[in-house]
Amino acid sequence: MRKIFAVVVLVFAVAGYAQVQLMLPAVSPEDILQWLQQSTLPAAEKAVWLRILPKAFDDGLVDPKIAQVFFQRLVNTPPTFIGEITAIMQDLLAQGLSVTHLMNKVSQGIIMGRPWTVITNEIRLRASVLAATHANLSLYRPMAEAKASVRVKVGTFEFQARTPTWEDVEVEIAEAISDFIAGGGDINDWSGMETLIRTRLLQLRGRGLPSNLVDHVLQVLTPQLIGEIVSQAFQIERR
Amino acid sequence: MRFDEWREEELIRQAIADEITAAEARLEGLEERVIRALASRELGCPVWKRWLRSILSPRTPALKLAYAFAVLVLFVGVGVLIGRFAFAPQPLPALAQEGTVFALAAPGAQKVELVGDFSAWKPIPLADPDGDGVWTLVLKLPPGRYEYAFLVDGRWLGQDPNADEYVRTMGDYTSVRYIGNGEGSSS
């Protein structure tokens, strides 16, 4: 009896200590899914998100913290906008591409008070460029590069620890091209785009992106490659 | 018995009685003193040896409820304290503390907020405690590239003079900061 009591005391003590340590303000994928289930999102879009999100969370394509704010804002927008944004994101997720930064961009557009059509057009542009960037750059993915995303589960608490990967490099390049075009740059100025990409990647080298991945992509980056990406993104027939 | 013999015996008895009376004070509590001395030290054994023997000697495990409860309270107490100091929301750090400083001169503004991709574009209030019109906020951000803007009384202000660069998004400017020590040029 005394032994049992001792074990119980020990378990309680350790559990109490562990719970305190894990009291972090984190949002779990399950929280998001549960919130979505009870949200006023249109039924069709709700069904889509509930179907695709669990795998997207598992694959690290959606950050729960960004997604939470995105959905909280999306739910208060017109149904047409919700439908268009959902379709764009669904398409990217089906290709295995991260949409976290695009969810963030939607939140930005909403806080800026931009018209729905402006936000939709910008998201569509960025999505097209991302898909084309991935299609062209995946050929150059380093052989040794591996996904460094790991899911850690301690009791009921779950979090995702990840280091930047090749996909993050692709996102940075796609975003640089998109910023160049959205900022009014000439769609045919591939050298200008390449310069912007190089500048940004060098800025991020070792402080957001691994140096070896940056060095690797800088070796293969050419205006011609950028031209391929842009042409594919906007379905321009190249001569 | 002759008188001289009787006298001699009487003197001996008297001498013994006097001796006993004299020693009585010293004998008082002798038994207790002996027991105490035996309990406090084992004769001929060094202190370290006795300590080691007491540690290594087999014992029957016994749990005292009071001790167990005290350990439990101590464990939980330490855990709560660590949790409170290490993980509770911290107050806004002062300028002297380590972090990225976001500052904006907006005299006359009622409210200045920071929005950025690091907060999913949720507004974070800046403070102007001395009322000089310079609003500040210090944020600890991991290394990377961050896009942000200020909201001055709800109005978008995307060009921070302290930004590293600007991008044009959805028809307006957004500021950019690079945080951390980059490795600059490629090898």
Side-chain angles (χ1 to χ4, degrees):
Chain A
M1 186 64 191
R2 278 182 172 181
K3 279 181 184 172
I4 293 170
F5 183 76
V7 170
V8 169
V9 166
L10 192 67
V11 166
F12 267 95
V14 172
Y17 187 73
Q19 271 187 347
V20 171
Q21 276 209 318
L22 297 174
M23 212 182 287
L24 296 168
V27 186
S28 72
E30 289 72 26
D31 291 338
I32 308 280
L33 294 171
Q34 198 176 351
W35 185 90
L36 265 180
Q37 190 82 52
Q38 294 161 354
S39 74
T40 56
L41 216 62
E45 280 74 24
K46 188 191 285 189
V48 168
W49 282 114
L50 287 172
R51 193 183 71 246
I52 61 179
L53 267 181
K55 187 174 186 317
F57 283 133
D58 281 344
D59 295 345
L61 303 178
V62 173
D63 182 324
K65 291 191 289 291
I66 303 294
Q68 185 189 37
V69 180
F70 164 74
F71 284 119
Q72 283 169 350
R73 289 200 171 120
L74 191 70
V75 82
N76 296 314
T77 62
T80 323
F81 178 73
I82 296 173
E84 287 174 336
I85 293 295
T86 301
I88 295 169
M89 304 271 182
Q90 185 184 6
D91 186 40
L92 288 176
L93 288 172
Q95 296 175 60
L97 300 174
S98 170
V99 297
T100 299
H101 67 292
L102 292 181
M103 286 181 162
N104 226 344
K105 201 52 95 174
V106 171
S107 294
Q108 181 186 357
I110 293 172
I111 198 106
M112 285 173 84
R114 299 288 102 176
W116 307 122
T117 49
V118 171
I119 301 174
T120 309
N121 287 341
E122 177 119 1
I123 298 301
R124 191 170 286 129
L125 178 149
R126 290 176 186 275
S128 300
V129 173
L130 176 63
T133 304
H134 175 69
N136 283 277
L137 280 182
S138 56
L139 306 168
Y140 302 101
R141 172 192 281 274
M143 296 298 285
E145 209 264 341
K147 291 232 176 191
S149 179
V150 60
R151 248 179 141 72
V152 183
K153 197 166 184 177
V154 184
T156 55
F157 182 80
E158 193 170 5
F159 59 93
Q160 192 151 5
R162 63 187 291 274
T163 53
T165 59
W166 182 253
E167 282 75 17
D168 296 300
V169 175
E170 290 180 353
V171 167
E172 287 301 333
I173 291 173
E175 284 295 282
I177 295 172
S178 300
D179 285 341
F180 186 90
I181 297 168
D186 183 356
I187 200 169
N188 294 309
D189 184 6
W190 304 331
S191 295
M193 289 180 202
E194 193 215 1
T195 304
L196 177 65
I197 294 166
R198 281 187 182 278
T199 307
R200 277 206 197 170
L201 290 178
L202 286 174
Q203 286 271 26
L204 283 168
R205 186 176 184 273
R207 62 171 167 187
L209 293 176
S211 307
N212 60 324
L213 292 183
V214 170
D215 294 344
H216 179 77
V217 80
L218 287 179
Q219 283 176 351
V220 300
L221 209 63
T222 60
Q224 287 68 38
L225 181 59
I226 306 299
E228 293 289 343
I229 292 170
V230 173
S231 302
Q232 190 172 332
F234 299 102
Q235 293 168 344
I236 303 165
E237 198 170 321
R238 296 192 64 197
R239 282 174 290 178
Chain B
M1 184 182 289
R2 288 192 324 239
F3 173 75
D4 53 349
E5 284 177 351
W6 175 83
R7 179 68 185 157
E8 191 179 352
E9 196 175 318
E10 187 62 35
L11 285 172
I12 290 169
R13 274 186 193 158
Q14 187 61 46
I16 290 171
D18 289 344
E19 205 162 310
I20 288 172
T21 307
E24 214 168 39
R26 279 186 285 126
L27 289 172
E28 197 158 32
L30 177 65
E31 193 178 353
E32 278 177 28
R33 288 206 300 277
V34 170
I35 290 169
R36 267 209 305 273
L38 286 172
S40 66
R41 64 186 182 89
E42 284 176 45
L43 294 172
C45 183
V47 176
W48 66 267
K49 211 168 181 179
R50 276 182 274 124
W51 177 79
L52 198 65
R53 195 185 298 161
S54 72
I55 295 290
L56 298 175
S57 63
R59 295 177 180 193
T60 309
L63 182 72
K64 291 197 173 178
L65 281 178
Y67 288 166
F69 185 71
V71 168
L72 172 67
V73 169
L74 188 72
F75 232 97
V76 173
V78 169
V80 167
L81 283 176
I82 288 172
R84 178 155 300 166
F85 289 119
F87 303 111
Q90 299 294 308
L92 290 179
L95 275 174
Q97 286 180 301
E98 199 184 332
T100 304
V101 180
F102 292 91
L104 183 74
Q110 298 297 306
K111 188 169 70 170
V112 177
E113 295 162 305
L114 179 74
V115 287
D117 51 9
F118 42 79
S119 69
W121 299 94
K122 280 178 108 172
I124 308 167
L126 278 79
D128 178 19
D130 55 4
D132 64 352
V134 179
W135 299 71
T136 54
L137 173 69
V138 181
L139 285 183
K140 274 195 171 184
L141 295 169
R145 178 183 181 275
Y146 297 98
E147 296 190 6
Y148 68 97
F150 294 109
L151 291 177
V152 181
D153 293 331
R155 191 172 49 85
W156 184 268
L157 203 154
Q159 287 180 291
D160 175 15
N162 297 313
D164 293 322
E165 62 186 44
Y166 308 105
V167 288
R168 218 173 142 72
T169 308
M170 291 178 262
D172 215 330
Y173 284 101
T174 303
S175 298
V176 176
R177 286 264 189 105
Y178 289 92
I179 307 296
N181 297 318
E183 290 164 18
S185 58
S186 62
S187 54

